[in-house]
Amino acid sequence: MSSRPRRAVRRALTAVVPVTALLTLAACGTGTTPAADSTQAAAPGSPGLSAARAALAKYSERPAAISVTQPVGKPIPKGKKIDFILCGVQSCKDLADFFTEAAGELGWQVKQIATQGTPESVQAAYEQALRDKPDAVIASGFPRAVYAKQLAQLNAAEIPVIQSNADDVLGDGISLLKNGPDDVGIQGEMLASWVVSNSGAKADTVYFDLPAYTILKPVKDAFAAKYKEWCDGCALDNVDVPITSVGKDMPDRVVSYLRSHPKVTHVVFSLGLLNVGVPTALKTAGVTGKHIVVNVGDAQNYQYIQSGLTDGAMALNSHETAWIQADALARRFTGQPMDVDQQAALPNMLVTKDNLPSADGDFPIVEDYQAQFKALWGLS
C-alpha cells in the first residue's frame, strides 16, 4: 500500500474512535451471520422504499445553516487561554487548527499540546494543562479512563473540559461532548437510506464493522434497524474485522468475501478507512458490479467518489464541531450554560458524485458556517 492510503487511514481512524482503541489495537474476531434470501426483498414502490427515498433526499441536501441560532448576547472576553490536547494523528491536528481559527476570531490564544497517542503521553499532556491553568481544555477521542485523575483535578479547579468523537458521557468533569454516542446513530440511518434507495429495495448487503470501536455501535444498530424497516426481507450480513486488518489485508478480506458471496450487491463500511485500497483490489480481482458506501468520509474516499470507484459517503463535520466548541466556551466565559451547544445537532450530509462539494480533503458541510458563528458572537 502506498504512503498516501496509509495517511488516509490514520486521518479517518481518529475522527471517530476512542484513542484507547487505537492504543490497544485490540483485535476482534471475524463474526459473520448467514445472509437472508434476497428474493424476499421488498417490492419496488413499497412504502419502505418511498420512506428511504424521502430520507435520502433529505440527507443529500447540503445544510445551509448551523443549528445554533441563539446569539451569545454579551461581550465575549478576549485574552482567554485554551489548551488543546492532540491525539497524535492528523485528524486531531485538523480539528485543533479549525478551533484555533475560531479562537483567533475571538482574541483567544490556543496552545496545542502534542501526544504520541500513548496513555503516558496523554496523561502527560493533561498534567501540562494542569500546570498551565488554562481557561479551558479541549481534546478529541480520549476516553476518560485514560486521564481520570487529571480530569478530577481540572474539575476541582473549575476548568471546563470539552471532548468530541468519544464513546463517553457528559458530566463528571466533561462540560461538552459532541459526536458522542447519542449523535452518531443518524449516520447509520443515512447509509441505510442510500442502500435501500439505490437498490430499489432489493439489496443484498454486507456491512463491514470494527466492533472494537464502541462509538460505531450506534451507527451499526441504526443501519440494521432502518434497513429492516425500509427493506424487509432484504439480505444483510455483518462481518466484523480486527483493527489489525486496517492498512494491511482489508482489501483482500473484502475480495475474498465477495467472491464467496456473489449475490451481494452492496458493501457498507462503518469507517471510510476500511475502504482504502478496496476499489483497486476489486478491479484487480475482476469483481465488478458492487456498490460501495462508507461512513465517515475522508479525502481518499472523496477521490474514490469523484472517480466513480465508490458510490457514497457520510461526510464529516469537523469544521462545525470545532466552531461549536468555541461557541460553547464563549457562553461559558460570559456566565452562560453550554446547553445551547450541547443540544444543537451537528450537520450531516450523504455525499455522492452528484453532490460532492470537493474531493480535495475535508470540507465544511455548512458552507458559510464561519460567518454564521461570527454573527452569534457579535463580530459581524
Side-chain angles (χ1 to χ4, degrees), residues 289-311:
K290 310 304 179 185
H291 300 283
I292 299 174
V293 65
V294 306
N295 187 41
V296 186
D298 53 33
Q300 181 66 74
N301 277 284
Y302 296 150
Q303 290 170 9
Y304 285 157
I305 292 171
Q306 188 178 52
S307 302
L309 298 175
T310 291
D311 296 274

Side-chain angles (χ1 to χ4, degrees), residues 1 4-5 13 16 39 59 99 106 152 161 167 186 209 218-219 226-227 233 310 325 327 349 371 376:
M1 181 177 287
R4 187 173 188 173
L13 187 60
V16 295
T39 60
Y59 296 138
F99 177 84
L106 293 165
V161 175
D167 184 14
I186 191 173
D209 188 29
V219 182
K226 282 299 180 181
Y227 185 81
T310 291
Q325 291 173 332
D327 186 83
M349 182 181 180
L376 298 179

Side-chain angles (χ1 to χ4, degrees), residues 98-162:
F98 299 150
F99 177 84
T100 300
E101 291 177 0
E105 298 289 343
L106 293 165
W108 302 344
Q109 296 179 4
V110 179
K111 178 180 179 180
Q112 297 187 12
I113 303 176
T115 75
Q116 290 74 51
T118 62
E120 294 78 11
S121 66
V122 171
Q123 291 164 7
Y126 274 91
E127 290 289 348
Q128 179 63 57
L130 283 166
R131 290 192 296 272
D132 291 343
K133 296 181 174 57
D135 294 294
V137 175
I138 301 179
S140 177
F142 301 114
R144 71 175 65 210
V146 175
Y147 60 97
K149 175 183 174 183
Q150 294 80 11
L151 178 64
Q153 292 175 299
L154 290 166
N155 189 35
E158 298 184 349
I159 297 175
V161 175
I162 288 179

